[in-house]
Structure formats: structure tokens, C-alpha cells
Amino acid sequence: MRNILLLVHHDDGQEARLQAALDITRALGGHLVCLDVTPYPVIAGDVFMGYGEATVVVDEREREAENKAALTDRLSREDVSWSWTDVMDEMANAVLDAADLADLIILNRALDGYPLPDMRDITSRIVARTNAAVLAVPETLERFAFDRALIAWDGGRSAASAVRAAVPLLALAGDVEIFTAREDDMRIDPEQAAAYLSRHGIHAGIKLVDRRRDRPDTLIAGEGEAWRADYIVMGAYGRGRLMETFGGVTKRMLQGSRLPLLLGH
């Protein structure tokens, strides 16, 4: 996990994304690729459309130029390796185009106080279409803590992909818990996941729960809070009982998780 791709854009989630990216890049001795995305303007058509569109493009570019100047100055004083790329495109498409050689993509879950950009939708689309792991952080994140990692395990391929991708971060954790609602037809038992991690020097405990009538996302969020997890590792758009068939759990976690989510698909 040495190639870290960061979405850069002047929005309410940027500081949290940047801080997580710096903490992780520094801890892993990686390289931070800053992708500064200026979205295409959306203009209502009228007789002045050509003039109006040109005006909006200039305004957006000026704001992003100011943002770039501030961030590059800050990055020049950080002890991390970094590079910068500017693009004008739709956000999800821009990130996906840049993600082929990324080990980790850093985005936000849904932003709470501002409807645009729609980070839940952007992150959902990226997670569904990339092979890289995605870290979705809440906008309130002040630093990324590594010590306590909760793995939401349903025995499926997406969960296994998330765990494989998370190994470099899990290796930095002091405590790792595999949290699962056991199923008779579980493809990979949590004990197998724990054995896999042990071969990487990561010793994880296992907690089994009865799903009862609670929604899976409620169980995961509740365990994260009760166990005082720093972040959650989970498969996105899985099919196990602890996850979901049509993406409901992933979308609800992206909507309101208080903890960073490391997602694999």
C-alpha cells in the first residue's frame, strides 16, 4: 500500500481526506498522488449560455487554483513524497481513470452539511468499479488512528478483498477484531480469515453475534462504537448476512458512519 491516491477538491471533506492521506502515507512510507479535479460546469440553457458557461469555468478554476496554491505550499512542508495532477472531469470518472496503479484511494463518506459534491454517490460508484481499496472518511476526521481495527466479516469475496488490501494498515494495529454473524453457508469462516492474518503477523480476535432483528449496519456501527474501533474494514456490496444483496448496508454506512471505512470489492 505505497501508492496513495487522494481526491483534491475544495469542499467540506477535503481537510479530513488530506489529513488521513498524510497520516497513512507517512506511516507506510508511501507516495501521495494528489488528483485535483475541477468538475465540468452545469449550466441551465438560455440565450446567454455561452457567456454564462465561460464565466462559471473561470470562477471554478480560480477557486481550485487558490486551493492548489494553499495545498502545495502545505505539502512542501510535510515529510511525505507527493505529486500533483490537475484534471477537469466528473469526479468519479476522474478518480477511476487515475486509479489503475493506486493501492488505496482516499475519499469521503457522505458530507453532512453540504449537498454537493454528492460524496456518497461518488464513493459508491468508485468502490463498485475499482480494484483498489477505498478509504472513506467522515468530514470530522482530525487524524487517522491505526491502533484498533474492526473487520466486518461475512465470508464473501468482497470482505476477503478488503482484508487483503488492509494488511499493511492492520499490521500497524495493536488490536484487531473480526466481527461476524456466522452463517451455515459462509464461504470463508472467520477462523480462516484469522489464520490468514496470523501469517502476516497480525493476531485477530473473533466475535460472533446473532443478527436477530437488527440491521447489519446497525450491528457493525454499534460494535465499532462499543469496541472503540479507530476504523472499520468491510467488503462493499457483498452478499453475506452481515452485509447485503443490493448495497443497502454499504450505502447506509457511507451515509452516516462515524468511523473511517476501508472498503474492498
Side-chain angles (χ1 to χ4, degrees), residues 87-151:
V87 297
M88 176 173 278
D89 200 349
E90 189 276 327
M91 281 193 184
N93 288 339
V95 172
L96 288 165
D97 285 345
D100 287 344
L101 294 178
D103 300 315
L104 180 67
I105 303 169
I106 299 184
L107 306 168
N108 288 106
R109 68 156 180 82
L111 301 180
D112 294 326
Y114 192 68
L116 294 175
D118 184 350
M119 282 296 180
R120 191 187 82 163
D121 178 68
I122 291 166
T123 301
S124 294
R125 289 162 55 204
I126 292 170
V127 169
R129 292 171 56 191
T130 185
N131 291 323
V134 171
L135 181 68
V137 300
E139 65 190 84
T140 55
L141 184 79
E142 296 181 353
R143 68 180 184 89
F144 186 86
F146 299 87
D147 193 52
R148 296 177 68 81
L150 179 69
I151 300 171

Side-chain angles (χ1 to χ4, degrees), residues 78-94:
E78 298 282 352
D79 56 341
V80 298
S81 171
W82 62 278
S83 56
W84 192 282
T85 302
D86 296 297
V87 297
M88 176 173 278
D89 200 349
E90 189 276 327
M91 281 193 184
N93 288 339

Side-chain angles (χ1 to χ4, degrees), residues 172-254:
L172 301 176
D175 292 286
V176 178
E177 179 182 285
I178 300 173
F179 177 68
T180 188
R182 188 184 293 278
E183 304 178 37
D184 293 337
D185 59 348
M186 184 173 283
R187 184 172 173 271
I188 306 173
D189 290 335
E191 290 83 3
Q192 292 175 270
Y196 167 82
L197 290 173
S198 72
R199 298 181 192 114
H200 289 278
I202 301 164
H203 303 289
I206 297 173
K207 182 172 181 178
L208 304 176
V209 298
D210 177 6
R211 179 174 172 180
R212 303 183 300 277
R213 296 181 180 179
D214 291 329
R215 289 191 328 207
D217 52 292
T218 301
L219 288 172
I220 296 166
E223 181 65 12
E225 183 174 349
W227 192 66
R228 295 179 293 109
D230 292 316
Y231 65 96
I232 297 171
V233 178
M234 58 181 280
Y237 307 110
R239 295 182 179 273
R241 185 172 298 163
L242 194 58
M243 296 304 171
E244 76 272 65
T245 302
F246 300 110
V249 172
T250 303
K251 289 181 179 179
R252 286 192 293 270
M253 292 295 286
L254 285 173

